[in-house]
Amino acid sequence: MLLHVDESGIGPRTVVLLHGMMGSSESWHRVVPRLARRGFRVLAFDLPGHGLSPRDPHLTIETAAASVVETVKSRATGGPVIGLGHSYGATVLAQAAASLRPRLAVYVDAALRLTGGADRASLVEAYEKDRRARSSSEVLRIARPFYSAADAEVEARAAERFDPETMASVSCGIDHAWVPGPASILVRADPSAWVSDDDARRFARQGGEVRSIPGAAHTLWYSHFDEFMAALPELFG
């Protein structure tokens, strides 16, 4: 399927942004202007079952990645591509990397492992409960005091549009694990509930570079925006 994309900026290099679960292309609203000012063409995706993109109750990580690749191709970028994925979006980027061949792949707070075998009905119920709770910007700001009002509005809107059936399908299949390419960076919170020290060491052994932001939340650029910018001089100078 072709996915919804918000496009910004002009330039010979394209950055593909892939949000985390229950996020959307708007999750990058702080990041996109910085990239555009640096001369990048920015493609911020809504992944399947998120935002304005199609739903698919039979989605797999492979079909999600294929949708990203096909959508990038449909945009006829021409120049080199850089991938930046957060959490679930990072796993999609890792799966897509063989076809997308990014000049640089940045994985944000993601272990690049996906556990399958989930019970679909239970997972749909859990996702729906979480979706309802996160659909209130007021509740989000209480739970995440580092959110600005704009952050909370963006993430509440993303939760409203999130489809539990689509995302549950991804976790009902087999286990997955990905090996980072040579031009790969892992940026993680320290400590991280998602990326253990063992995960970070595995990433480094496989040829990736690990950078940590002490005290950051899972969505690093919301809680530690300046530190996130500084951690990626390749993108933000």
Side-chain angles (χ1 to χ4, degrees):
M1 67 182 78
L2 292 180
L3 304 176
H4 175 79
V5 177
D6 285 333
E7 183 172 342
S8 303
I10 55 174
R13 300 166 299 168
T14 298
V15 179
V16 172
L17 301 178
L18 304 179
H19 60 79
M21 188 177 73
M22 218 171 292
S24 75
S25 57
E26 291 185 291
S27 297
W28 303 102
H29 73 100
R30 294 194 197 183
V31 174
V32 168
R34 292 292 186 98
L35 290 170
R37 286 200 295 270
R38 289 276 295 165
F40 291 105
R41 180 183 182 219
V42 186
L43 303 180
F45 278 64
D46 284 340
L47 291 170
H50 295 77
L52 301 178
S53 281
R55 277 59 179 135
D56 181 3
H58 305 292
L59 188 73
T60 65
I61 198 75
E62 289 84 3
T63 56
S67 295
V68 168
V69 172
E70 289 306 309
T71 305
V72 171
K73 288 181 178 178
S74 76
R75 296 282 174 150
T77 58
V81 171
I82 295 171
L84 176 58
H86 173 239
S87 195
Y88 166 65
T91 65
V92 175
L93 175 61
Q95 179 65 38
S99 298
L100 200 58
R101 298 187 181 277
R103 173 174 287 186
L104 174 67
V106 180
Y107 304 106
V108 181
D109 217 35
L112 299 191
R113 288 184 287 105
L114 180 67
T115 302
D119 177 74
R120 183 183 184 90
S122 298
L123 199 54
V124 169
E125 182 180 357
Y127 284 166
E128 176 59 24
K129 182 179 179 180
D130 195 20
R131 185 196 71 79
R132 288 196 302 267
R134 291 176 58 168
S135 294
S136 166
S137 60
E138 292 80 7
V139 170
L140 279 176
R141 292 204 75 186
I142 293 171
R144 298 166 174 80
F146 53 87
Y147 274 12
S148 69
D151 299 339
E153 290 173 6
V154 160
E155 294 303 318
R157 183 161 50 247
E160 289 175 359
R161 293 171 171 170
F162 171 72
D163 178 44
E165 292 276 352
T166 295
M167 273 308 303
S169 179
V170 171
S171 296
C172 292
I174 62 173
D175 294 351
H176 286 76
W178 293 269
V179 176
S184 298
I185 299 170
L186 170 65
V187 184
R188 66 165 185 157
D190 185 14
S192 171
W194 299 86
V195 183
S196 68
D197 290 342
D198 284 344
D199 290 328
R201 285 190 286 268
R202 176 176 63 88
F203 191 94
R205 284 197 304 269
Q206 292 171 336
E209 182 179 351
V210 180
R211 301 173 186 176
S212 300
I213 300 179
H218 180 49
T219 312
L220 285 76
W221 63 95
Y222 277 168
S223 70
H224 287 63
F225 182 76
D226 290 339
E227 292 86 346
F228 182 72
M229 300 289 107
L232 291 168
E234 296 88 350
L235 294 177
F236 303 108

